[in-house]
Amino acid sequence: MSKPKIINVCGARPNFMKIAPLMHAFEASGQIEPLLVHTGQHYDEKMNKWFFDELQIPAPDINLEVGSGSHAVQTAEIMKRFEPVLLEHDPQAVLVVGDVNSTVACALVAVKLGVPVVHVEAGLRSSDRSMPEEINRIVTDALSEQLFVTEPSGIENLVAEGVARDKIHMVGNVMIDTLKRFQVRADESTILEKLEVAPRSYVVLTLHRPSNVDDPVVLERIMSAVETIQRDKPVIFPVHPRTRANLAKGGSIDLSAMGNLRLIEPLGYIDFLKLTSSAGCVLTDSGGIQEETTIVGVPCLTIRENTERPVTITDGTNQLVGTETERILDAYGKTLDADFAPRQPDMWDGRAAERIVNVLADWLCRTPAVAAG
Ligand code: UD1
C-alpha cells in the first residue's frame, strides 16, 4: 500500500523555521510521503535561501516563484499557481504553517478542491483585524480540518469560534523545535565578534509590520525612542526590505545623527539566534521573536498594542509597549535592572513536530475517506 501524501507549503521567512522540523519529522517517521511547495513569496537570498541551507530543509519539490505584489495580487497569484500543482499531485492533505499570505492562499485552493487542510500554529488571535496576518489566521483556521496549537489561548479561541474540540491538538511549538535543535550551533556563531559587541551590552531591534513602518508618523515615534536608547547602548538593527524602503524615503528621521544605531542586512537564522540570545534587550514587532526571547531568557519589548501570543507575557519575558516614544523608553528603563531567566511554556520542549506527525499518521492511515484522497 502506498503511503499517504501531504503537500507542505512555505513561502515567507517566518515559515522556514516552522516547516524545517516538520520535514525532518516526516522523514524520521517514514509513514507519510511529504512534498514541499515554496510559493516564492520571499525571494531574496537573505530572506530565503540561507534559511534552507542552514536549517537543512530539503530543496522544495515545486517553487511557484510568485514574488511580491499587493495582498490581492500576491494571494491570487499563489492560488492560480498552486491549483495545478494540487491537481497533478493529488495529495491526501495540504499542510500550511503560520499566518502569511501563502498560508491562506494555499488553504483556500485546497479546501475548494476537497483536499483537507492541516494548520500548524492555529488559534492565535490578536483581535486586531487591521493586521493582515490576523485575517489570514481567521480564514485559515475556519477552513482547516486538523488544527495544531502552540498555547492554551489557541484552544480557547478556536472553541469560541465554533471549531470542534476533536480537531484541535495542543502539541507545542515547532518554531521552538528549531531553536532547540540549532542552539548549540548558534553558540558557535562569531556574529558578536564580527559586530564588535559584547554579550548583554547591546540591544537588538527588528521592525517590519506595515502598521509600524508604512505610516511615517508611527515610524518616527518609534525611531525617536531608538534615538534615546542608542545613546545608552549600541542598537543592532537587521533591516527588513520593507522597512529599508520606508527609511530611505527620508522624512524627519535622521539616521545619520544616531551614531550608535547599526543598520545591517537581514541575518541568517544561526547568527540571528546568537545575536538575540546574547542581547541585553530585544525590541521588535515580530511574532516569532516574542517566543524565541522567552526561551532564551532575554527581555522582549514588543512594539505593538496587542499580541496573538499571550503565553509569552504570562509565562515568558515579553511585554507590550505600544508605539508611543515615552512608553517604549519607560519600559526600556525598567528592563535594565530586572533579572530575566529562560522560561518554557508547556510543551515548548523541541518535540512539537514529532507530535504533529504522529497525529497526522494516525489520522491519515485510519480515516478511510481521507486515506482514499
Ligand atoms: C511577510 C508576512 C509577515 C511576516 C513577514 C516576515 C504576510 C501578509 N506577511 O511580510 O507575516 O512576519 O513576511 O518577513 O504574508 N521583499 C523583498 N525581498 C523579499 C521579500 C520581500 O525585497 O525576499 C519586499 C517586497 O518587495 C515588499 C516588501 O518586502 O515590498 C514586503 O514583502 P511581503 O512579502 O509583501 O510582506 P512582508 O512585509 O515581508
Side-chain angles (χ1 to χ4, degrees):
M1 203 177 82
S2 64
K3 292 179 196 173
K5 194 193 298 174
I6 292 192
I7 288 193
N8 302 274
V9 176
C10 64
R13 184 170 59 179
N15 289 165
F16 305 141
M17 30 301 217
K18 296 171 194 165
I19 216 75
L22 287 162
M23 297 308 286
H24 299 143
F26 279 126
E27 195 191 332
S29 129
Q31 297 180 78
I32 293 170
E33 182 191 342
L35 284 181
L36 183 59
V37 172
H38 189 333
T39 64
Q41 178 176 342
H42 281 177
Y43 46 88
D44 281 359
E45 260 206 337
K46 293 183 283 288
M47 305 289 284
N48 175 23
K49 185 176 174 306
W50 286 3
F51 288 83
F52 274 74
D53 295 345
E54 282 192 326
L55 303 180
Q56 297 152 9
I57 307 172
D61 297 286
I62 297 127
N63 194 325
L64 305 179
E65 295 179 350
V66 293
S68 294
S70 69
H71 282 260
V73 167
Q74 193 174 56
T75 307
E77 204 54 48
I78 297 167
M79 290 179 70
K80 267 165 66 184
R81 296 185 193 196
F82 187 56
E83 186 174 50
V85 170
L86 214 48
L87 289 170
E88 181 191 339
H89 292 277
D90 192 24
Q92 274 69 55
V94 167
L95 181 151
V96 294
V97 297
D99 55 14
V100 301
N101 287 341
S102 303
T103 310
V104 69
C106 293
L108 258 168
V109 173
V111 80
K112 292 214 172 186
L113 288 176
V115 181
V117 176
V118 174
H119 188 201
V120 173
E121 202 186 81
L124 298 180
R125 295 290 181 270
S126 64
S127 301
D128 174 2
R129 290 199 178 197
S130 70
M131 278 177 85
E133 294 83 357
E134 181 75 353
I135 306 299
N136 294 346
R137 290 190 279 261
I138 293 169
V139 175
T140 305
D141 284 341
L143 304 178
S144 294
E145 202 55 43
Q146 297 289 326
L147 300 99
F148 293 99
V149 303
T150 53
E151 60 166 285
S153 73
I155 302 176
E156 288 158 28
N157 294 331
L158 292 171
V159 169
E161 288 172 21
V163 177
R165 185 65 186 80
D166 63 350
K167 292 181 177 180
I168 307 170
H169 312 274
M170 168 78 179
V171 287
N173 192 329
V174 283
M175 185 121 177
I176 302 306
D177 291 8
T178 294
L179 187 152
K180 296 209 172 229
R181 177 170 169 155
F182 289 99
Q183 223 161 9
V184 174
R185 289 255 321 271
D187 280 345
E188 292 160 8
S189 152
T190 55
I191 189 69
L192 301 196
E193 289 81 358
K194 280 191 200 133
L195 294 170
E196 297 178 342
V197 285
R200 311 291 163 220
S201 72
Y202 62 92
V203 171
V204 174
L205 170 68
T206 84
L207 287 175
H208 77 278
R209 288 220 170 269
S211 58
N212 283 345
V213 304
D214 291 358
D215 180 341
V217 177
V218 178
L219 187 57
E220 193 193 321
R221 284 205 307 255
I222 298 168
M223 293 311 290
S224 171
V226 172
E227 199 276 325
T228 304
I229 293 170
Q230 58 92 43
R231 281 191 249 146
D232 178 51
K233 284 191 165 85
V235 176
I236 313 287
F237 184 13
V239 192
H240 184 283
R242 171 191 286 277
T243 313
R244 189 172 284 278
N246 285 322
L247 286 170
K249 289 179 191 154
S252 54
I253 301 166
D254 183 8
L255 294 177
S256 66
M258 302 188 210
N260 234 356
L261 172 66
R262 313 253 303 265
L263 272 68
I264 61 172
E265 292 293 316
L267 292 172
Y269 182 80
I270 305 272
D271 283 344
F272 188 70
L273 179 55
K274 171 75 172 191
L275 189 69
T276 49
S277 316
S278 310
C281 173
V282 174
L283 278 103
T284 190
D285 60 5
S286 147
I289 295 173
Q290 299 169 47
E291 301 181 333
E292 291 167 339
T293 44
T294 281
I295 293 291
V296 298
V298 169
C300 180
L301 305 183
T302 296
I303 306 177
R304 288 171 49 188
E305 299 296 345
N306 51 54
T307 180
E308 60 289 336
R309 294 163 160 90
V311 80
T312 60
I313 296 178
T314 54
D315 294 27
T317 61
N318 188 23
Q319 278 179 73
L320 292 178
V321 300
T323 62
E324 297 291 339
T325 312
E326 286 312 315
R327 203 170 138 208
I328 298 170
L329 290 176
D330 188 46
Y332 174 73
K334 287 183 185 144
T335 61
L336 293 179
D337 305 318
D339 215 8
F340 286 87
R343 306 276 302 269
Q344 185 166 303
D346 191 28
M347 297 174 102
W348 291 22
D349 57 0
R351 298 184 53 200
E354 186 187 318
R355 293 189 190 102
I356 291 169
V357 170
N358 284 341
V359 172
L360 292 178
D362 220 39
W363 173 57
L364 291 174
C365 300
R366 293 214 190 134
T367 311
V370 174

